Amino acid sequence: MPEVQQIRRLILSQFQQFKLCDFDFTDPSSGETLKRVCLTGPNGCGKSTILAQIYHSIDPGILPLAVDEDREANALILVQYGLGAQTVYLARNGLALGATGSKFSWFSDDIENAPGWDAFLDKGMGFHEFDDHFSDYAVNDDDSLSAPDVATAWLSPAMDLIDSEPADDLRELVDSLTEKRAQLFSRFLKLPDNRDETVASVEQLFEEAYPDPLAEIALAWKPVLAPANIRFSSAHPVGLLSGRTGESIPFSSLSAGLQRYLLGTGHLRILAKTNEFARSFFVIDEPENGLGHPLATALLSDCLAQIQGEDAQVFVATLSNEIVDTFSGPEIFRLEFDESNGIRIDRPIPEASAAIKEPAKGEKKVPVTLKPNAVRLARLKREIKETEDQDELADLIDELMSLRER
């Protein structure tokens, strides 16, 4: 499998409450992959389920939320991956990859022009029907799915994962950092250039070359802890947190939301400092859970500040309007229940793409959604600019004119 760089599209068909939902994670005006995505909607509409499938698509060793194996064996999860200038689709059933009964197949993105593709997008299919119907577009039959070289994080009220491992608690996090830093200093001390230096000089050089991440974490935590008269110190003789008079404060005595905030910001900062990869992929479920809106927004802002690489992506699910407002129109996907209690997607059209008439006072505002061909039009414009093949150029222009006439 080529190295996965981004997730561009996710289609759920006959999966749980999703009869058919098509999430296109590209900007309709440019065709570029979105680096930030926000899912919002009422409780029970499946935001966490979608996030879990997104995370599983980039880190196939883990599916954070369990699925009903008997029920989802023929469900279809279709993911479009960006591979630099190329894209490829992975179709799999609803089971966790690697689990007994799990199935998957790779497909060329030419599948979008295949007979039956429009019918599939209209009515959906199960995995086996899809696999059979589009078998002519299958590629890399012998290839396996493996995790790409990317730093990953899954933060949720129920479970936090950092690079596929459960996040340490505060004590373990601090002890681990202290031990790693001591080992790093030992190696630094033995470098040929440092052998004739004094210990004090080497310590100064070491601090300049490798700033203490704990000091940086403490600085990030100070605005949150100081108003409650709480201090953080890894050198505290009893615990890590202390009150105004020096008494130890157990981490477990803090609210669940505050614990999540401290651990989340701490782990993400360490991930950014120690990660060897060129890009990051973060998934955050309900950052506002147990927190007030200012802290939830601060947690999200801190997360966004730690992402690395041009191909980095962050996916967020939230009920908070304040958090939704930090995203731009094309980045927001609103999930709503339809008449049959299924799920539909309402995605606001970008302001630059259409003039939206503001309703008169007292008039009910009708949500505007994207035309189905908007994304394809943007993609065609990009392909026309990039192609050097005259025959291909003519075909692309014909398709562009055909779509505009619809």
Side-chain angles (χ1 to χ4, degrees):
M1 170 188 169
E3 188 172 313
V4 171
Q5 293 187 1
Q6 295 171 320
I7 291 181
R8 292 177 57 85
R9 191 175 189 179
L10 173 70
I11 299 176
L12 306 178
S13 177
Q14 299 181 17
F15 177 71
Q16 296 187 17
Q17 68 266 54
F18 302 98
K19 181 179 179 181
L20 180 69
C21 268
D22 184 356
F23 297 87
D24 192 326
F25 301 129
T26 59
D27 188 326
S29 61
S30 67
E32 297 296 319
T33 305
L34 294 172
K35 296 183 179 180
R36 309 186 331 151
V37 170
C38 178
L39 305 178
T40 187
N43 279 324
C45 68
K47 299 185 297 296
S48 297
T49 298
I50 296 163
L51 283 190
Q53 293 300 330
I54 289 171
Y55 185 84
H56 190 47
S57 297
I58 206 75
D59 192 349
I62 294 177
L63 180 58
L65 299 181
V67 297
D68 185 330
E69 295 188 2
D70 293 331
R71 180 183 173 190
E72 309 304 344
N74 192 41
L76 173 65
I77 312 294
L78 187 63
V79 184
Q80 184 187 38
Y81 292 99
L83 311 171
Q86 301 177 326
T87 61
V88 66
Y89 277 97
L90 172 71
R92 57 184 175 84
N93 64 3
L95 306 184
L97 283 161
T100 302
S102 66
K103 306 283 185 182
F104 69 89
S105 299
W106 291 100
F107 293 88
S108 161
D109 59 4
D110 289 337
I111 196 174
E112 295 174 359
N113 302 314
W117 178 256
D118 289 340
F120 160 67
L121 294 181
D122 183 44
K123 296 184 179 179
M125 293 179 182
F127 171 81
H128 296 293
E129 182 184 359
F130 184 92
D131 199 35
D132 290 340
H133 188 89
F134 296 105
S135 58
D136 289 344
Y137 297 85
V139 294
N140 298 332
D141 288 341
D142 297 328
D143 218 344
S144 60
L145 182 64
S146 59
D149 290 333
V150 56
T152 63
W154 163 278
L155 302 180
S156 74
M159 173 177 59
D160 295 334
L161 297 168
I162 303 294
D163 278 347
S164 306
E165 297 291 336
D168 295 331
D169 64 22
L170 188 63
R171 179 79 263 176
E172 290 173 335
L173 171 64
V174 171
D175 288 347
S176 174
L177 286 175
T178 302
E179 182 180 351
K180 289 178 181 177
R181 190 165 172 76
Q183 294 172 353
L184 183 61
F185 179 71
S186 178
R187 291 195 295 269
F188 187 81
L189 195 61
K190 295 175 183 177
L191 292 176
D193 292 345
N194 296 330
R195 288 175 181 171
D196 297 330
E197 299 286 343
T198 64
V199 173
S201 176
V202 172
E203 287 179 344
Q204 182 178 348
L205 290 171
F206 179 72
E207 290 295 336
E208 292 173 356
Y210 305 98
D212 186 357
L214 276 176
E216 201 169 306
I217 290 175
L219 192 62
W221 286 348
K222 187 175 180 179
V224 178
L225 297 176
N229 292 316
I230 299 175
R231 296 180 180 179
F232 165 78
S233 173
S234 59
H236 192 279
V238 179
L240 298 170
L241 304 176
S242 59
R244 182 186 301 172
T245 59
E247 74 280 11
S248 177
I249 298 177
F251 184 62
S252 59
S253 68
L254 303 180
S255 69
L258 189 52
Q259 290 182 46
R260 283 189 65 214
Y261 176 87
L262 297 178
L263 283 173
T265 53
H267 274 291
L268 291 178
R269 284 173 179 272
I270 297 308
L271 188 63
K273 290 291 181 185
T274 61
N275 127 49
E276 301 172 353
F277 305 127
R279 60 188 183 277
S280 309
F281 183 90
F282 297 162
V283 176
I284 308 175
D285 192 9
E286 293 189 27
E288 72 275 13
N289 189 283
L291 294 173
H293 293 301
L295 272 184
T297 305
L299 173 61
L300 182 58
S301 298
D302 193 82
C303 172
L304 295 174
Q306 309 311 318
I307 63 174
Q308 299 182 41
E310 293 183 1
D311 297 318
Q313 284 183 287
V314 177
F315 292 83
V316 178
T318 182
L319 288 166
S320 166
N321 290 329
E322 286 82 356
I323 290 179
V324 173
D325 288 343
T326 65
F327 290 82
S328 64
E331 299 171 336
I332 301 170
F333 293 75
R334 298 185 185 276
L335 278 64
E336 299 178 355
F337 292 103
D338 61 22
E339 296 78 8
S340 62
N341 208 34
I343 303 298
R344 66 181 184 86
I345 306 167
D346 176 21
R347 191 180 181 192
I349 194 166
E351 292 180 5
S353 302
I356 301 175
K357 181 183 177 182
E358 287 296 321
K361 188 175 181 180
E363 181 181 351
K364 186 177 180 181
K365 189 172 183 179
V366 179
V368 182
T369 55
L370 283 172
K371 294 181 179 180
N373 293 324
V375 173
R376 183 57 185 154
L377 279 169
R379 194 172 297 158
L380 277 170
K381 292 176 183 177
R382 186 180 74 249
E383 291 171 356
I384 287 171
K385 290 180 181 179
E386 295 175 351
T387 186
E388 297 179 357
D389 186 303
Q390 293 302 310
D391 292 336
E392 181 184 25
L393 178 62
D395 291 338
L396 290 171
I397 292 174
D398 285 345
E399 185 179 355
L400 177 68
M401 298 305 294
S402 173
L403 283 175
R404 281 181 167 173
E405 290 171 1
R406 293 181 190 176

